[in-house]
Amino acid sequence: MVNNKQGLEVWRQSFAKVRLPLLSNAETRELIRSPEVSLQEIHHALLSDLSLSIEVIQVAEQVPRIAGEVQGLQHAVNALGVGRIQRILAERESVLFDPTQPRHQACLQAMATSHFAAELVRAWQAHGDRTQTEFLAWVALLQGFARWKLPLAAPAQYEEIDRRVREGERRSVLEQTLLGCPMSTLNAVLLQDAGVPTDALLTHAVLPDGRMLSKAASLAWGGVIAPQLPLPLPPW
């Protein structure tokens, strides 16, 4: 196996060069370019294009008055305004999603998995404190940033990982073996390079406490009578 540090630096550079294909169709891109488009219409359009949304958030992170504290897509849209988002679209339209390309399809599949994770977060937050729902949903989405790029930046490694996962091997182990570094570490440095600040919640989500799973396992039902769960958990 490649030394972790060497693997990380090699892939850090390769992944950084990859531009994610925009998912918006021609009609949606025309709407965003419209002189009469509203911020709410732009926000709604961006919800279906994770690639463009990430670009918008990255640019918003650099706005001085926000100081790297973007709380989600709506916050980023409001901070940048219509004109700046239209310029971002113009700069990124050279790479569009092509459904005939297997690598683009694999990228889209990885994004769909991240969307599912974000929806789980939103559902969970609906039963508790909702003040940070949008931010936490974006944190969940960003956990997949490196995996979105994997089929584009390292197609051979992606194909072998995908094949062996279908044969029953663990994805995280294969990723570390074939890339020479943990995917979570690569994801963290790619987000840092993309301008996403190192937030405590994001760092904790990318590199979770190793004791977390053992605590969760203690609640597992291993006998005849199920253990009593904390009050927020039974509805799930």
Side-chain angles (χ1 to χ4, degrees), residues 28-34 37 42 45-46 52 85-86 89:
T28 300
R29 298 196 305 275
E30 188 61 32
L31 170 67
I32 296 174
R33 284 193 295 264
S34 170
V37 69
I42 287 180
L46 291 178
L52 188 54
I85 295 174
Q86 289 174 333
L89 172 62

Side-chain angles (χ1 to χ4, degrees), residues 93-169:
E93 277 191 292
S94 60
V95 183
L96 300 176
F97 176 75
D98 183 351
T100 67
Q101 291 194 32
R103 296 175 187 177
H104 282 200
Q105 288 285 5
C107 175
L108 181 63
Q109 183 179 13
M111 289 181 177
T113 301
S114 295
H115 270 299
F116 179 65
E119 287 307 311
L120 289 179
V121 169
R122 291 189 176 97
W124 180 268
Q125 287 298 112
H127 293 264
D129 180 8
R130 303 183 185 183
T131 58
Q132 287 193 306
T133 297
E134 181 69 8
F135 171 66
L136 293 176
W138 277 98
V139 166
L141 275 172
L142 290 173
Q143 307 317 303
F145 188 59
R147 287 195 174 105
W148 308 341
K149 291 192 170 191
L150 179 60
L152 308 173
Q157 287 80 359
Y158 165 78
E159 290 172 6
E160 182 171 353
I161 290 169
D162 187 57
R163 174 180 60 79
R164 291 170 64 175
V165 165
R166 284 186 273 109
E167 294 173 353
E169 295 187 59

